[in-house]
Amino acid sequence: QVQLAESGGELVQAGGSLRLSCTASGTIFSVRAMGWYRQAPGNERELVATITGSGRTNYADSVKGRFTISRDNAKKAVYLQMSSLKPEDTAVYYCNAEILRYGSTRFDNYWGQGTQVTVSS
């Protein structure tokens, strides 16, 4: 089995900062792209940022310049440093990873359970 465990979500004031963490565990042979998505009430889940195994990053326009995604391949972890937070950043943040399990021949997509980020005005 594979699990993604997120942490770091909490209530923060506008203009503040938070760091989200996500670690993959289980029968993992390799991790390819990792990323963060978010879903606000009444909205669809949307991409926040992704990072490839080689470190190439991609960001949603709404978070460019404020959020930074990084990863630690040895720990199978991905992080999201969020600064200058706005009330519109309020959402459940989900970790995502493309993982090749031992004994498998393909990468599958996995999701964490989500962590709540609330930004008060």
Side-chain angles (χ1 to χ4, degrees):
Q1 295 292 338
V2 170
Q3 289 186 328
L4 297 181
E6 301 127 328
S7 62
E10 62 181 68
L11 173 64
V12 63
Q13 287 190 333
S17 298
L18 278 178
R19 185 176 189 247
L20 304 183
S21 300
C22 172
T23 301
S25 62
T27 54
I28 298 170
F29 179 78
S30 179
V31 182
R32 201 160 56 184
M34 303 184 81
W36 290 94
Y37 293 71
R38 67 186 181 187
Q39 187 168 17
N43 291 354
E44 294 185 353
R45 191 172 298 189
E46 63 177 9
L47 179 147
V48 176
T50 60
I51 184 168
T52 66
S54 60
R56 188 172 70 248
T57 59
N58 178 53
Y59 294 93
D61 288 343
S62 59
V63 307
K64 282 181 180 177
R66 300 188 298 122
F67 292 9
T68 302
I69 190 170
S70 61
R71 65 188 286 170
D72 184 329
N73 291 332
K75 295 181 179 179
K76 299 184 183 65
V78 62
Y79 309 99
L80 186 68
Q81 179 67 46
M82 306 184 291
S83 60
S84 301
L85 282 161
K86 305 174 181 179
E88 50 264 44
D89 294 318
T90 295
V92 177
Y93 283 70
Y94 295 92
C95 174
N96 173 269
E98 297 175 345
I99 292 172
L100 177 65
R101 295 177 58 188
Y102 281 105
S104 179
T105 58
R106 68 180 189 201
F107 283 85
D108 289 320
N109 212 27
Y110 290 88
W111 292 92
Q113 79 287 352
T115 185
Q116 177 71 47
V117 172
T118 303
V119 184
S120 64
S121 56

